[in-house]
Amino acid sequence: MEKIKESFSKVAEITGLFWLMKIIATTLGETLGDFISMTLNLGYAKGIIITFLFFLLTLSLQLISKKYIPVLYWLVIIGTTTLGTEISDFIDRSLHLGYAGGSILLIFCLGITLYLWFIKFKNLEYYPIIKRKKEIYFWLAVLFSNSLGTAFGDFLNDNLGLSYLIGALICGCIIIAVILLHYYTKINHIILFWIAFIFTRPFGATFGDFLTKPLSKGGLDLGTLNSSLISVLIMAVLILISHKKLKSNI
């Protein structure tokens, strides 16, 4: 019965490949979001509009789809990471709430989403997801998680003054700790999933900043465009691998 349910799932199975793709997607979301708002000098408000339209388009295609299609699913993930970058920066720099205030606000939004999800379905299981209404809650939680991860990553770098590499290492250590807790404790797997999901975002985001920022600020100075193109290439290869693995399992 479980195998039958999984075959109808609209979302990806949680594997090592999933987490690798999530990290690359968050790196791309950070560099692409900065490219739109800063390199193209469109500003955060216009950046939110552009990335929201992309997110809305990809999400609509994902919801219409009758099954899990890797390229659609990961385009939505990229949409949430890119929009999350714009939302975090808008809260900080346009609304002047700061990254700490933005993080608190986004924690509240994520908490409300998960609470309403639980009230509606009596569980927070993230795989498999078949019903469209449950999938909508899932994508809202993903969007707020990625926005929160961006704000927290920027808080580490801008507010605490940590280098981008150190910020990425801190988030990486938290992710490793969650993995160990998953395998060696009986802590609820749903709680651990969302903690890992949130912290892969600042891990990828701070790594994205490490690629793009100038040498004087501890970065590699590759620029937002070059870093985005590199991430797109890696992501395309991983999506291709994901499609091949899916076909081999059918």
Side-chain angles (χ1 to χ4, degrees):
M1 182 64 70
E2 283 299 317
K3 287 295 181 183
I4 294 175
K5 284 184 177 181
E6 289 177 11
S7 67
F8 287 99
S9 180
K10 296 286 303 298
V11 299
E13 185 180 0
I14 312 303
T15 63
L17 180 61
F18 170 90
W19 291 115
L20 176 59
M21 295 177 75
K22 171 63 165 59
I23 291 170
I24 300 300
T26 60
T27 302
L28 175 57
E30 180 71 14
T31 58
L32 186 58
D34 288 344
F35 174 75
I36 293 170
S37 61
M38 292 189 285
T39 304
L40 294 181
N41 200 30
L42 295 177
Y44 302 115
K46 290 181 180 178
I48 285 178
I49 293 173
I50 293 170
T51 53
F52 177 74
L53 290 175
F54 175 78
F55 166 67
L56 196 61
L57 173 62
T58 55
L59 179 60
S60 298
L61 294 173
Q62 166 69 20
L63 293 175
I64 291 171
S65 173
K66 300 296 183 183
K67 60 181 180 179
Y68 165 62
I69 302 175
V71 66
L72 281 182
Y73 177 89
W74 288 104
L75 280 175
V76 185
I77 292 288
I78 292 169
T80 63
T81 60
T82 310
L83 179 57
T85 297
E86 302 296 346
I87 290 173
S88 174
D89 289 340
F90 180 77
I91 291 173
D92 173 65
R93 299 167 190 175
S94 297
L95 299 182
H96 305 292
L97 292 181
Y99 289 122
S103 296
I104 293 171
L105 175 61
L106 291 166
I107 287 173
F108 175 78
C109 292
L110 176 59
I112 289 295
T113 302
L114 294 176
Y115 173 76
L116 293 176
W117 177 349
F118 183 80
I119 291 298
K120 179 71 174 178
F121 297 100
K122 308 305 178 187
N123 67 70
L124 292 174
E125 287 292 348
Y126 46 82
Y127 181 84
I129 291 179
I130 299 171
K131 295 180 180 179
R132 182 174 296 176
K133 288 183 179 180
K134 189 173 185 179
E135 188 183 1
I136 291 173
Y137 279 104
F138 170 79
W139 287 116
L140 282 175
V142 167
L143 176 60
F144 287 130
S145 297
N146 282 327
S147 301
L148 171 59
T150 304
F152 182 78
D154 288 332
F155 172 77
L156 291 177
N157 302 139
D158 294 353
N159 292 66
L160 298 185
L162 301 177
S163 69
Y164 298 112
L165 189 56
I166 294 298
L169 287 174
I170 290 174
C171 294
C173 288
I174 293 173
I175 294 168
I176 292 172
V178 169
I179 293 172
L180 293 174
L181 289 172
H182 172 72
Y183 284 106
Y184 296 105
T185 72
K186 295 183 179 180
I187 296 176
N188 187 281
H189 68 281
I190 295 174
I191 295 174
L192 293 177
F193 169 81
W194 286 110
I195 292 174
F197 198 92
I198 290 169
F199 279 97
T200 51
R201 175 57 177 141
F203 179 79
T206 50
F207 186 71
D209 284 333
F210 175 64
L211 294 176
T212 60
K213 299 303 181 182
L215 296 173
S216 60
K217 293 187 176 181
L220 294 180
D221 201 18
L222 296 180
T224 56
L225 179 58
N226 290 334
S227 298
S228 296
L229 291 175
I230 292 171
S231 297
V232 166
L233 179 61
I234 296 172
M235 198 67 196
V237 172
L238 293 175
I239 289 174
L240 181 61
I241 293 172
S242 184
H243 271 281
K244 288 186 175 180
K245 285 190 67 175
L246 185 64
K247 286 183 179 180
S248 66
N249 291 333
I250 294 177

Coordinates of all heavy atoms in Angstrom, one line a residue, residues 50 80 230:
I50 N 9.0 40.1 -9.9 CA 9.5 39.2 -11.0 C 9.6 37.8 -10.5 O 9.2 36.8 -11.1 CB 10.9 39.7 -11.4 CG1 10.8 41.0 -12.2 CG2 11.6 38.7 -12.4 CD1 12.1 41.7 -12.5
T80 N 11.1 29.3 -5.0 CA 10.9 29.7 -3.6 C 12.2 30.2 -3.0 O 12.2 31.1 -2.2 CB 10.5 28.5 -2.7 OG1 11.5 27.5 -2.7 CG2 9.2 27.9 -3.2
I230 N 26.9 28.9 -13.2 CA 27.5 27.6 -12.7 C 26.5 26.8 -11.9 O 26.4 25.6 -12.1 CB 28.7 28.0 -11.7 CG1 29.8 28.6 -12.5 CG2 29.2 26.7 -11.0 CD1 31.0 29.2 -11.7

